[in-house]
Amino acid sequence: MTSRVTFVSPAMNASLRQARFDDGGSIDAGGAARARAVAGALPTGVRVVTSPTVRCRETAAALGLGAVGVTGPAASAAEPTEPVNPMKPVEPVEPVEPVELAGLDVGRWRGLTLAEVGAAESEAVARWLADPGSAPHGGESVEDLCARVARWLESSREEGRTLAVVEPEIVRAAVVHVLGTPLTAFWRLDVPPLTATSISGRGGRWNLRLGHPPDAPEASAAGS
């Protein structure tokens, strides 16, 4: 059985625009509108999971995936609308939130911009970016994040097709695991808002398809 996981990064919000560690803010109206525009192109009949953050829940709701708990400016924008492709409607599926897909815990840096943290703790930031095992903020290391995402991926091999609306760092961790790259490559992977990264696995290996728009047709990976 081939397992396929499509990771979708959250729609744009103020924290993403400002390079700010997630502060629990809502996606903005433009991000919600863009998510609604591609909702009809998403695969149906899939298992849906999300990171347990406001922006991922709201992105899932705007995509028509039945997320609950939508609040703030995006709440009205995330209400169900007519899909772009009426021949392929998105079935409302209540997402689940695996603990392994929670965003990186950055401890006391939560809500601050990288520039603010760099000005106050330049040595700590340098150490954090260079050493995946470090956690100078008092939260979680990149190494620990990558380990839990890898555990989730390997436990998902028999789940068929999964759609995961997750924080960008979860996508980075998945790519590092799939390619078997050193953990130091983690910060060299850019994950733009509302883009899709797909993997497929069978026979003990994963194949990777990077950064296609959520509305792009899904191509079969070579050897999957």
Side-chain angles (χ1 to χ4, degrees):
M1 178 181 182
T2 298
S3 298
R4 292 183 173 86
V5 183
T6 297
F7 297 98
V8 178
S9 53
M12 182 64 74
N13 75 346
S15 293
L16 290 170
R17 290 183 189 281
Q18 299 163 5
R20 183 181 302 277
F21 293 109
D22 181 38
D23 57 1
S26 292
I27 62 176
D28 60 30
R34 185 176 171 221
R36 294 199 313 275
V38 302
L42 292 172
T44 59
V46 299
R47 181 177 67 140
V48 179
V49 298
T50 70
S51 293
T53 57
V54 171
R55 62 192 181 193
C56 285
R57 289 168 177 159
E58 291 184 347
T59 298
L63 289 168
L65 300 175
V68 297
V70 180
T71 60
S76 59
E79 293 175 357
T81 61
E82 184 69 21
V84 171
N85 180 358
M87 301 301 293
K88 189 181 179 183
V90 175
E91 300 172 0
V93 178
E94 194 64 43
V96 297
E97 300 177 354
V99 295
E100 296 90 348
L101 299 186
L104 179 66
D105 177 6
V106 293
R108 66 178 180 274
W109 294 353
R110 177 178 168 82
L112 300 175
T113 66
L114 187 58
E116 289 169 340
V117 175
E121 303 181 52
S122 59
E123 291 185 5
V125 171
R127 185 168 70 253
W128 180 61
L129 293 174
D131 178 8
S134 70
H137 41 59
E140 178 184 33
S141 70
V142 167
E143 182 177 26
D144 288 340
L145 169 74
C146 289
R148 62 175 164 87
V149 172
R151 288 194 299 271
W152 181 83
L153 275 176
E154 295 310 314
S155 71
S156 300
R157 279 192 178 274
E158 305 303 322
E159 296 291 346
R161 185 184 292 272
T162 300
L163 182 63
V165 182
V166 294
E167 291 295 324
E169 59 266 29
I170 303 301
V171 182
R172 292 189 186 104
V175 171
V176 165
H177 175 68
V178 167
L179 296 183
T181 63
L183 296 184
T184 50
F186 181 89
W187 293 118
R188 303 192 69 179
L189 301 170
D190 290 333
V191 184
L194 206 62
T195 54
T197 300
S198 298
I199 64 173
S200 61
R202 185 176 62 187
R205 79 170 190 179
W206 292 101
N207 295 309
L208 174 68
R209 185 176 181 227
L210 281 172
H212 56 89
D215 57 342
E218 207 174 303
S220 298
S224 63

